[in-house]
Amino acid sequence: MGFKCGIVGLPNVGKSTIFNALTSQQVDASNYPFCTIEPNIGTVPLSDKRLVDIKKIIGSSKLTPTTLEFVDIAGLVKGASQGEGLGNQFLNHIQGVDAIAHVIRCFEDQNVAHTSPALNPVADAEIITIELILKDLEIIERRVDKLKRAIKTSDKEIKIELELITQLKDKLSQNIQIKQIELSPNQLEKIRELNLLTLKPTLFIANVDEESLEGNPYVSQVKEYAKKLGEMCIQFCGKAQAEISQLDEESQQEFLQELGLDESGLDKIIKAGYNTLNLITFFTANENEAHAWTIPKGLNVQKAAAKIHTDFEKEFIKAEVIKYNDLIEFGSEVKLKEHGLIAVHGKDYIVEDGDLIFYRLRR
């Protein structure tokens, strides 16, 4: 799995339309609140030209791309954290995702209902942000109660955790998101299992219509809001991208050119998602299969091996690494060996984006 992204937003902002655009699935996108009850889940293989090139040069029989999973949940409303619109249930659906894609409506349309009398993207964004904070506050308060009951054991670690959790509770009560709080790696590890929503990186998607692809004032407002929170924001035309996703590859390129776009919506989301989550891709290949793998940037080669199989990490001896650009330039393993371009590394080597890795194991 590459990474898992939960799509959130108010009702009728275009979440399901964007989900269709990204996954090429036709889920219901009707014009009324809570059209989506159960979350829609779509897994998208991520096309990567590098994987195709590696398969050809190494002579692999097949290729297996890394993937991106989208979870489209029902529209949230004010009071969702307390159960309004079944929101508490819906918020639970995104606790297991790696990142949140927050869709914000940036288009006027009298035929599409909106939860507010006037379109105000920043106010809409703040409603969802507050609901995520309130959900985290609920989780944190339960944790505080549990730790207070356990404090009688005089366990030092429990006391340390209670102090941390109490600090987080105070910050959340001030409408401060967890990711805006400076925490040490050890503190982050202590709260990891809580799956706090405001700790997850967020990508804001400003959903526009075809008539306002350029100079949309609402998009500028959302980008400024995202910047203040330290998050990324991209403009996205959900309706047009959903139509494009149903076309063949050649027709897709023609449609994109007509709209003045240089890449598909999926490509934009992937790039933004990788950037938001600080991810990279490495490759493995043999005569049977060329495979792409997604890992966090900064991971050493032994830890990266666990992505393939836990035994690979345990049985690791060394790794032979080929840089993708060298592979393309010389075109074969034989020539790379002749030029000394197959590097041998121990467990501490930090994997770089595009590395082709051959693992040597104790077997």
Side-chain angles (χ1 to χ4, degrees):
M1 180 63 65
F3 61 97
K4 191 173 183 179
C5 187
I7 304 176
V8 304
L10 292 172
N12 300 332
V13 297
K15 294 190 298 22
S16 293
T17 300
I18 288 175
F19 179 83
N20 286 338
L22 298 173
T23 64
S24 299
Q25 295 186 31
Q26 287 300 309
V27 302
D28 203 345
S30 301
N31 173 28
Y32 57 90
F34 313 118
C35 168
T36 305
I37 301 299
E38 291 301 317
N40 297 301
I41 299 175
T43 301
V44 183
L46 306 185
S47 61
D48 192 323
K49 181 181 179 297
R50 296 175 299 179
L51 182 61
V52 177
D53 293 337
I54 289 170
K55 173 182 179 294
K56 182 178 179 181
I57 293 173
I58 300 300
S60 307
S61 300
K62 66 175 184 177
L63 58 80
T64 302
T66 188
T67 58
L68 169 57
E69 185 171 287
F70 290 102
V71 181
D72 172 33
I73 72 165
L76 299 171
V77 295
K78 188 174 182 179
S81 57
Q82 278 76 50
E84 288 295 324
L86 300 180
N88 215 323
Q89 174 187 339
F90 297 154
L91 284 167
N92 290 336
H93 291 152
I94 57 171
Q95 280 197 275
V97 303
D98 301 305
I100 293 173
H102 184 167
V103 180
I104 301 172
R105 178 171 165 173
C106 292
F107 62 89
E108 300 275 6
D109 190 335
Q110 298 301 318
N111 298 315
V112 179
H114 191 50
T115 54
S116 302
L119 186 61
N120 186 335
V122 172
D124 291 350
E126 288 175 339
I127 288 173
I128 301 300
T129 299
I130 292 299
E131 292 308 318
L132 298 181
I133 287 173
L134 290 173
K135 180 63 177 179
D136 279 355
L137 190 56
E138 175 195 317
I139 295 169
I140 287 290
E141 286 174 341
R142 287 203 303 265
R143 187 66 175 175
V144 168
D145 290 341
K146 182 178 179 181
L147 290 170
K148 283 183 175 178
R149 290 196 298 271
I151 202 75
K152 296 175 183 178
T153 62
S154 298
D155 188 315
K156 183 181 177 181
E157 288 300 314
I158 292 178
K159 292 179 181 178
I160 292 173
E161 185 181 350
L162 178 59
E163 183 178 346
L164 169 62
I165 296 296
T166 301
Q167 290 174 357
L168 297 183
K169 178 184 174 182
D170 291 342
K171 294 293 186 181
L172 287 167
S173 298
Q174 299 171 46
N175 290 337
I176 298 172
Q177 299 187 70
I178 300 297
K179 57 192 164 190
Q180 295 175 296
I181 305 168
E182 190 172 337
L183 298 171
S184 69
N186 184 51
Q187 289 174 320
L188 287 169
E189 182 61 29
K190 285 184 180 297
I191 63 173
R192 182 178 58 84
E193 66 176 26
L194 298 178
N195 280 321
L196 297 170
L197 299 179
T198 65
L199 186 58
K200 300 178 188 299
T202 298
L203 169 65
F204 288 93
I205 300 178
N207 189 22
V208 303
D209 54 19
E210 292 180 43
E211 287 71 39
S212 58
L213 285 171
E214 295 183 12
N216 187 312
Y218 297 127
V219 174
S220 300
Q221 294 171 22
V222 176
K223 286 186 175 180
E224 185 62 29
Y225 175 77
K227 184 178 179 181
K228 288 179 180 177
L229 295 176
E231 308 284 14
M232 287 187 66
C233 175
I234 63 170
Q235 177 176 299
F236 194 97
C237 183
K239 186 176 180 182
Q241 294 285 357
E243 293 173 2
I244 291 171
S245 70
Q246 300 302 309
L247 303 174
D248 59 55
E249 189 171 343
E250 184 177 342
S251 299
Q252 284 188 17
Q253 292 305 315
E254 292 176 1
F255 200 156
L256 286 170
Q257 288 174 6
E258 288 177 12
L259 291 173
L261 303 174
D262 57 0
E263 61 183 345
S264 72
L266 179 59
D267 290 337
K268 288 182 71 173
I269 295 292
I270 292 167
K271 289 179 181 178
Y274 266 57
N275 192 303
T276 298
L277 288 172
N278 212 21
L279 301 172
I280 62 171
T281 301
F282 78 93
F283 305 93
T284 56
N286 55 28
E287 66 277 7
N288 297 319
E289 179 184 30
H291 204 304
W293 308 91
T294 300
I295 59 170
K297 187 182 294 184
L299 208 62
N300 70 47
V301 70
Q302 184 178 18
K303 292 292 184 183
K307 184 74 176 181
I308 304 168
H309 197 287
T310 52
D311 286 350
F312 274 45
E313 181 181 7
K314 295 174 184 175
E315 302 295 328
F316 177 89
I317 297 177
K318 63 181 179 179
E320 296 176 4
V321 180
I322 296 173
K323 298 300 178 183
Y324 170 76
N325 289 337
D326 291 339
L327 182 66
I328 296 303
E329 181 179 351
F330 292 94
S332 74
E333 289 182 81
V334 173
K335 290 184 179 179
L336 287 167
K337 286 180 181 178
E338 291 174 356
H339 289 81
L341 293 173
I342 301 180
V344 179
H345 294 287
K347 64 181 182 180
D348 294 328
Y349 169 73
I350 303 301
V351 178
E352 297 181 355
D353 187 56
D355 278 352
L356 172 58
I357 303 177
F358 299 91
Y359 281 98
R360 301 298 177 237
L361 309 173
R362 295 186 185 88
R363 289 183 174 179

